[in-house]
Amino acid sequence: MTYKTGSIGEFIKWTKRVVTDPAAVSDTPKRWFDSDETAKRSLGTATSPEAMVKLLSVENLVLLQLIGRERPDSVRALAQLAHRKESNLSRTLKKLHEAGIVAFEVGQGRTRAPRLVAQRVTLELDLVGPGSVVSVQRP
């Protein structure tokens, strides 16, 4: 997703330009932010909508509910609860972490406890252009 950072003044200038020349909107990002930090917080993830749909399969949604409800103390404990192989589960958890849905708490020794950090995932699909957006909402 492309976005633009700039001041309120720059946004006002752009808005005035679009009012006088509507064609100018086609080459400008639809989202504006005051800084890259604000954009990262707002946009949340670089995961594509297609990848997010695959990642949020029925099996993985059950896994996320299990993490939220049981709060396992390690990936191994989660694998036992979910009846999944630890190696496959680790790959899935890594993808969920990259998408901003799961984080890891450091436990005893080398253990890492998966924790659900997202409350809601929203897919905004642009059916006629490249403007699709995935946002991950954290509580």
Side-chain angles (χ1 to χ4, degrees):
M1 153 113 221
T2 53
Y3 63 89
K4 176 145 177 60
T5 58
S7 68
I8 295 289
E10 290 172 316
F11 180 70
I12 290 170
K13 284 180 190 175
W14 174 80
T15 304
K16 287 178 181 176
R17 193 175 107 217
V18 168
V19 168
T20 58
D21 179 17
V25 76
S26 65
D27 66 341
T28 305
K30 294 184 180 357
R31 296 218 177 174
W32 285 65
F33 299 97
D34 62 343
S35 68
D36 285 327
E37 183 64 31
T38 304
K40 286 177 187 170
R41 274 197 317 267
S42 177
L43 298 175
T45 183
T47 304
S48 73
E50 296 83 5
M52 188 62 79
V53 168
K54 288 179 185 177
L55 187 58
L56 296 177
S57 66
V58 172
E59 184 179 37
N60 288 345
L61 288 175
V62 169
L63 180 68
L64 293 170
Q65 292 169 353
L66 191 60
I67 293 169
R69 186 177 61 246
E70 301 294 329
R71 294 184 52 82
D73 60 358
S74 68
V75 174
R76 177 169 286 148
L78 178 60
Q80 290 172 347
L81 286 169
H83 306 290
R84 289 174 66 173
K85 290 184 179 181
E86 192 174 341
S87 59
N88 293 342
L89 184 62
S90 291
R91 280 192 294 276
T92 299
L93 290 172
K94 180 181 178 186
K95 291 176 185 175
L96 289 165
H97 175 71
E98 290 168 354
I101 297 172
V102 169
F104 295 98
E105 283 181 5
V106 177
Q108 294 180 0
R110 294 178 42 185
T111 62
R112 298 177 312 143
R115 295 292 177 250
L116 194 58
V117 294
Q119 180 174 342
R120 180 178 307 269
V121 174
T122 304
L123 300 174
E124 185 178 314
L125 302 175
D126 184 344
L127 300 177
V128 295
S132 296
V133 177
V134 175
S135 63
V136 177
Q137 181 183 21
R138 293 170 185 87

